[in-house]
Amino acid sequence: MADSETLHSDSNSRGIAADLARAADALETMQASGELAPVVTVAPASPNVPPALFGAGGPMLKRFDESTVASRKGSTAPSPPPSVKGIGKKVAKPDYSEQKIVVAMVGLPARGKSYLSNKLMIYLRWLEYDVKVFNVGQLRRTKARQKAQKLGVKENHNAEFFSHSNAQATQSRDSLAEESLEMLIKWLKEGGNVGIHDATNSTKSRRAKIEARLAKEKGMILIFLESLCDDPAVIAANVELKVSQGDPDYKDMSPDEARKDFLRRINEYEKVYETITEPHLSYLRIKNVGEEVTMSRINGYLSSRIAFYLMNLHIRPRNIFFSRHGESQYNVEGKIGGDSLLSLRGMQYAKALPALITDNIGEKPLTVWTSTLKRTIQTAQYLPYTKLTWKSLDELDAGVCDGMTYEEIEQAYPDDYANRDEDKFNYRYRGGESYRDVVVRLEPVIMELERQENILIIGHQAILRCLYAYFHHLPQADLPYIKIPLHTVIKLTPKAYGCDEERYTLPINAVDTHRPKPKAAKQPNVHPTTQRIYYVEEEVKTSA
Ligand code: SIN
């Protein structure tokens, strides 16, 4: 993972040389004054490849690390010594407490509002913002269910309930929307960052009410997100999803009756629908998910990031394939990191891969992404598709531990080893990275993956874990333990609410590099689901 090429090819190399000379002088002075431990000479891994001066596994890094060895002695997890701040220990989650954004959805039923809400929530949660969707339909259903259970009163939520000429129902729907907004505001005040109000909010007066309510809250930003859709195929697919995925509104109806009723409901909303034209509002209008985007008054870092993400989404059918590189020489030796070539079995995998991928993809276009490391480029070499190399896809940088076996790390850095086992997501290697650092550097990759169609990523264990966790919406604590075995292709098919998954393991033996979660009674289990959730019971108190 050394960056020697980058250093040497830099056009500013003269400036860098001067910086290095200054750093070397400073080191000498520190050494002379006894501030720095004696130099430990580290033999390069191969006589032909000198390690980078400052890179992972390089002599400078090892030398700095040696200098702090005394302060590391005697510490035990979970309170590592304050050696170099943020390095070689657990690094706390960034403080996002100042971020308070309300994203209020706007749109007719079956226009993808819940899809966009869900995607945005998953993306921001992956980046560790606290995000929650407040779905007014869910609140209505949950309350109606509780009312039926407690009071035996059964409300009828057929199309008539959604008619604007039904004054009583309109009032009931308005108060549900307001109650849901109150729950959202309370949650933001308790520490949340982005609350998504998933409702139709389809009239100017409803939006004005939201705006007036939020004006009373200091520091809360309001963005409307309108989802327009005039593609009959997409609308029909959304209607089918509603009818077929067990929406409780339709549990007592046949699919045909449910379909007719839902179309009547849409028609009731259409009669009063007003697209956003209020010039003073902050809003984002998305037409046919990705076809056309209008943006007005979107300012600030997180708001712009939200807008940028939503602009890149599309719903065209596609597959995302993940494969680790074939077994490498380092894998066989039990070493982590490095830039070794493939083993013989790894080469067999590289040769077998094209048939597996072409069988699956057929004539459809596909682009292959690799890291800049030799083992992924070698694995991709026989694939007959366009290939791109991403530095961001390079394996998690193990810093001073690069090129060591886990046993060697445990011996040389026992505290670090314990800290990593204790909290693998937050542990940052000395001079290297944590899983969190990797998530941050993978953000542009996610953005591009969302924009693209069929992609095969030939990557590394930690990298693919981070990407996989995004697509299956898995918690950060479980992320470092996701099983991504060698010689296996994972095929993801994005759906409205999650991804379908198939795994193909080629019959070519490889070492097992998975280390289970230590001391955990239960290993993290991946349960991919594409089901929409219709009840969030524990949130709601019955006021009926
Ligand atoms: C619903 O109750 O299903 C949606 C309510 C709304 O936002 O109009």
Side-chain angles (χ1 to χ4, degrees), residues 136-137 140-141 162 173 199-201 206 265 269:
V136 175
R140 169 178 59 74
R141 283 184 284 269
F162 297 91
R173 287 190 296 115
T200 50
N201 297 323
R206 172 79 81 88
R265 183 197 296 190
Y269 275 100

Side-chain angles (χ1 to χ4, degrees), residues 211-412:
E211 196 193 357
R213 177 64 189 88
L214 263 300
K216 293 187 192 146
E217 298 297 336
K218 245 180 94 193
M220 288 191 192
I221 294 170
L222 171 63
I223 302 172
F224 287 98
L225 170 56
E226 181 171 16
S227 182
L228 291 180
C229 178
D230 63 0
D231 182 336
V234 174
I235 299 172
N238 287 346
V239 170
E240 269 331 293
L241 204 66
K242 181 94 170 166
V243 170
S244 67
Q245 282 221 339
D247 185 328
D249 285 348
Y250 297 120
K251 72 174 177 17
D252 298 328
M253 291 186 200
S254 70
D256 203 38
E257 280 173 316
R259 200 172 294 112
K260 280 192 188 128
D261 186 81
F262 190 46
L263 290 173
R264 273 205 302 273
R265 183 197 296 190
I266 296 174
N267 186 254
E268 293 300 338
Y269 275 100
E270 267 169 334
K271 287 180 192 163
V272 291
Y273 189 75
E274 293 168 299
T275 189
I276 304 183
T277 50
E278 301 92 305
H280 62 287
L281 294 182
S282 291
Y283 70 88
L284 194 72
R285 180 185 298 121
I286 297 185
K287 190 173 164 199
N288 295 334
V289 190
E291 192 182 288
E292 200 180 294
V293 179
T294 314
M295 221 162 75
S296 184
R297 297 180 183 271
I298 302 284
N299 306 303
Y301 175 68
L302 188 54
S303 304
S304 312
R305 198 161 171 172
I306 289 172
F308 188 48
Y309 173 72
L310 293 166
M311 278 163 68
N312 280 295
L313 296 180
H314 71 78
I315 46 170
R316 293 183 291 282
R318 47 108 172 231
N319 290 117
I320 295 163
F321 300 89
F322 292 150
S323 167
R324 284 174 69 187
H325 51 79
E327 182 189 69
S328 72
Q329 290 166 7
Y330 261 32
N331 289 149
V332 176
E333 292 166 38
K335 291 178 179 170
I336 63 167
D339 192 11
S340 68
L341 295 171
L342 296 185
S343 70
L344 278 176
R345 297 189 299 196
M347 279 306 294
Q348 281 174 3
Y349 179 70
K351 286 184 183 149
L353 197 53
L356 176 63
I357 300 296
T358 43
D359 278 359
N360 260 285
I361 202 83
E363 295 299 304
K364 284 178 269 172
L366 174 88
T367 306
V368 180
W369 295 354
T370 67
S371 74
T372 65
L373 298 173
K374 292 182 196 120
R375 54 195 185 274
T376 63
I377 295 172
Q378 249 191 321
T379 307
Q381 67 185 308
Y382 303 111
L383 288 162
Y385 304 103
T386 306
K387 286 165 213 153
L388 290 177
T389 314
W390 285 71
K391 179 83 182 148
S392 306
L393 287 174
D394 283 3
E395 181 56 310
L396 185 148
D397 185 341
V400 292
C401 298
D402 189 73
M404 293 168 87
T405 64
Y406 284 115
E407 293 71 31
E408 285 166 348
I409 299 171
E410 190 171 11
Q411 280 219 322

Side-chain angles (χ1 to χ4, degrees), residues 404-461:
M404 293 168 87
T405 64
Y406 284 115
E407 293 71 31
E408 285 166 348
I409 299 171
E410 190 171 11
Q411 280 219 322
Y413 303 101
D415 297 341
D416 290 47
Y417 191 80
N419 276 316
R420 188 160 200 261
D421 270 355
E422 176 109 351
D423 189 350
K424 202 168 169 188
F425 185 79
N426 291 309
Y427 170 81
R428 180 183 283 156
Y429 277 108
R430 295 166 183 276
E433 291 177 300
S434 64
Y435 268 91
R436 167 176 293 122
D437 295 329
V438 172
V439 164
V440 171
R441 91 161 130 96
L442 283 174
E443 200 221 350
V445 175
I446 285 296
M447 211 61 100
E448 191 56 17
L449 265 179
E450 287 295 4
R451 211 176 66 81
Q452 292 287 340
E453 299 204 354
N454 300 309
I455 298 288
L456 160 62
I457 299 185
I458 312 269
H460 305 268
Q461 180 163 250

Side-chain angles (χ1 to χ4, degrees), residues 10-22:
D10 197 313
S11 59
N12 283 332
S13 57
R14 288 224 312 272
I16 289 167
D19 287 347
L20 287 177
R22 272 199 297 280

